[in-house]
Amino acid sequence: MWHPSHQVGPTCQPPSTGAPPPPIEIIQYCSLTCGPEGLWGPHVSESAEDLHPAAAAHPLHTLSLVSPPPRKSPKKKKPTTASSFLHRRRAKMMLPRLHLLLVVVSALPLVSVAAGVGGEGFCSAEPSASRECSGARPPLYWKVTNPTLAPAHLQDLPGFTRSVYKRDHALITPESHVFSPLPDWVNTLGAFLISPAIGAHFTMYLAKMHDGSKSALPPKGVERLIFVLQGSILLSEESGNTHTLLVDSYAYLPANMKHSVISDEVTTLIIFERRYTTIEDYHPDLIVGSTDKQPLLETPGEVFELRKLLPTSLPYDFNIHIMDFQPGEYLSVKEVHYNQHGLLLLEGQGIYRLGDSWYPVQSGDTIWMAPFVPQWYAALGKTKTRYLLYKDVNRDPLM
Ligand SMILES: NC(=O)N[C@H](N)C(=O)O
């Protein structure tokens, strides 16, 4: 692949022509190194028809064709004829175009790498191979004028994270996850993404299980909801009843209900727990279900699709909403409410507004929203957004 570094460096020179060539010829020599056939022609080509078929098929590489052929012995000056005058004039007019082309080729090498245009044997090597061509490093400060902006690269930037922690909200992105053994669980690693330490009244954590992993019970008086993100689990009740839960299925365990979860494959769970707020005479039941079995609910004034994983009745003091947005859809209400949220983006990309901040978000991201934080979402990816949302419900805020 042609590389800007080809334009510099003393070793990017023709082996036998003696005097250093002008820059335009340096590119030609580099092209020679990169291409098996010396694709340039002996003259400037204005149309693809004049070119070697392989070059015509790869317009970027035809740029190397603009160089003149290797110099032979100095030519005698021919007397000016009408046609030679026109020819030279045409050549002069070409020069600015050549410069323009060179600027373009300087700006596009990485694009052409990404597009794979050089995949047929010439100029298709990685930049490291280009050193063979130039034997030189990129020009000093090259990164300043060619900064790395691709999101994939930003993740590798030392110290870079999209995670944010503020008084009334937090964005926790996957590169920030820290796993450690979950207390009393067997062979299970957990990453607490939200906990009372942040200001929430619930916990939200990832649990990674594998062959031989086993759960522990939550503290006394604490209810639990388990949602399977990857793999599968076997849930056993005290009575001996068992339930196999696959991806997209879930179980709600009322406080103090004895149970165990085991796994015999690589499994990731997202788990919500909170201290149950009792109301006299109401007792929640064990619930086992899957998202796709839950009916779509009315969302007056909104366009997103809504499912709820738990019954909306009084025994349940929280619910988990599954919200789907098609690309371009957004919340119509710029919400501010007393409820708190723990959100996991399951699919898609978009912009989440939290307070005065606007965050690009994508699947795998977790958001904590404190009560009353202004919140709004727009789905902007090419595919639908689905997120899972903890929301405390059915209790008077004075309780
Ligand atoms: N941020 C949200 O998506 N909020 C939900 N619409 C909700 O509070 O129900």
Side-chain angles (χ1 to χ4, degrees), residues 302 304 321 323 325 331 335 337 339 341 343 352 369 375-377 387 389 391:
E302 293 284 3
F304 61 82
H321 295 187
M323 296 173 58
F325 299 76
L331 286 172
E335 299 181 18
H337 49 59
N339 320 75
H341 288 318
L343 179 155
Y352 229 103
M369 292 173 240
Q375 56 200 256
W376 180 83
Y377 180 68
Y387 63 67
L389 187 79
K391 181 173 186 175

Side-chain angles (χ1 to χ4, degrees), residues 15 53 210 318 338 376:
H210 51 90
F318 75 89
Y338 78 93
W376 180 83

Side-chain angles (χ1 to χ4, degrees), residues 188-205:
T188 309
L189 292 176
F192 281 89
L193 305 172
I194 299 176
S195 84
I198 211 171
H201 66 210
F202 64 96
T203 56
M204 171 176 172
Y205 59 100

Side-chain angles (χ1 to χ4, degrees), residues 4 31 60 84 86 89 104 156 174 181 199 250 274 293 335 399:
S31 300
L60 274 175
S84 66
L86 279 176
R89 194 161 162 229
V104 170
D156 295 336
Y250 60 93
R274 71 170 281 192
K293 299 265 164 52
E335 299 181 18
M399 276 179 84

Side-chain angles (χ1 to χ4, degrees), residues 71-312:
R71 267 188 215 132
K72 295 180 189 149
S73 54
K75 284 183 188 159
K76 278 182 202 159
K77 208 175 181 188
K78 285 188 192 160
T80 305
T81 63
S83 75
S84 66
F85 174 78
L86 279 176
H87 183 80
R88 265 188 267 150
R89 194 161 162 229
R90 199 172 154 219
K92 268 191 187 168
M93 286 165 65
M94 286 293 174
L95 261 175
R97 285 190 226 176
L98 297 183
H99 286 237
L100 186 62
L101 287 170
L102 289 173
V103 169
V104 170
V105 88
S106 301
L108 289 180
L110 296 176
V111 173
S112 63
V113 171
V117 289
E120 289 186 301
F122 63 91
C123 295
S124 60
E126 293 296 323
S128 60
S130 71
R131 267 181 243 122
E132 202 181 293
C133 169
S134 69
R137 294 180 186 175
L140 198 57
Y141 309 135
W142 186 72
K143 277 280 177 186
V144 176
T145 46
N146 297 273
T148 304
L149 288 175
H153 293 153
L154 286 176
Q155 282 179 13
D156 295 336
L157 195 61
F160 175 82
T161 178
R162 291 185 296 113
S163 292
V164 168
Y165 168 48
K166 296 200 178 176
R167 185 193 64 77
D168 56 5
H169 68 267
L171 169 65
I172 300 136
T173 54
E175 75 277 2
S176 305
H177 293 173
V178 177
F179 285 86
S180 49
L182 277 175
D184 297 328
W185 291 55
V186 178
N187 282 340
T188 309
L189 292 176
F192 281 89
L193 305 172
I194 299 176
S195 84
I198 211 171
H201 66 210
F202 64 96
T203 56
M204 171 176 172
Y205 59 100
L206 289 167
K208 285 194 172 175
M209 308 181 86
H210 51 90
D211 202 8
S213 298
K214 190 174 179 215
S215 66
L217 287 171
K220 203 162 174 275
V222 170
E223 57 193 333
R224 168 182 274 173
L225 185 132
I226 300 171
F227 185 97
V228 183
L229 296 168
Q230 176 194 23
S232 66
I233 53 172
L234 184 72
L235 169 69
S236 303
E237 299 175 46
E238 200 179 15
S239 63
N241 286 347
T242 58
H243 309 267
T244 299
L245 274 69
L246 307 177
V247 172
D248 215 30
S249 55
Y250 60 93
Y252 166 79
L253 293 314
N256 308 323
M257 175 177 271
K258 294 226 167 54
H259 65 277
S260 75
V261 168
I262 57 170
S263 177
D264 61 5
E265 62 172 317
V266 173
T267 292
T268 306
L269 311 172
I270 187 78
I271 301 177
F272 296 89
E273 290 174 359
R274 71 170 281 192
R275 199 163 290 286
Y276 180 63
T277 307
T278 50
I279 307 186
E280 235 170 287
D281 299 332
Y282 288 105
H283 301 285
D285 295 319
L286 168 79
I287 308 275
V288 176
S290 65
T291 304
D292 59 343
K293 299 265 164 52
Q294 304 314 309
L296 281 176
L297 302 172
E298 292 292 315
T299 55
E302 293 284 3
V303 290
F304 61 82
E305 290 186 342
L306 174 66
R307 294 175 174 84
K308 295 186 182 180
L309 300 189
L310 298 181
T312 52

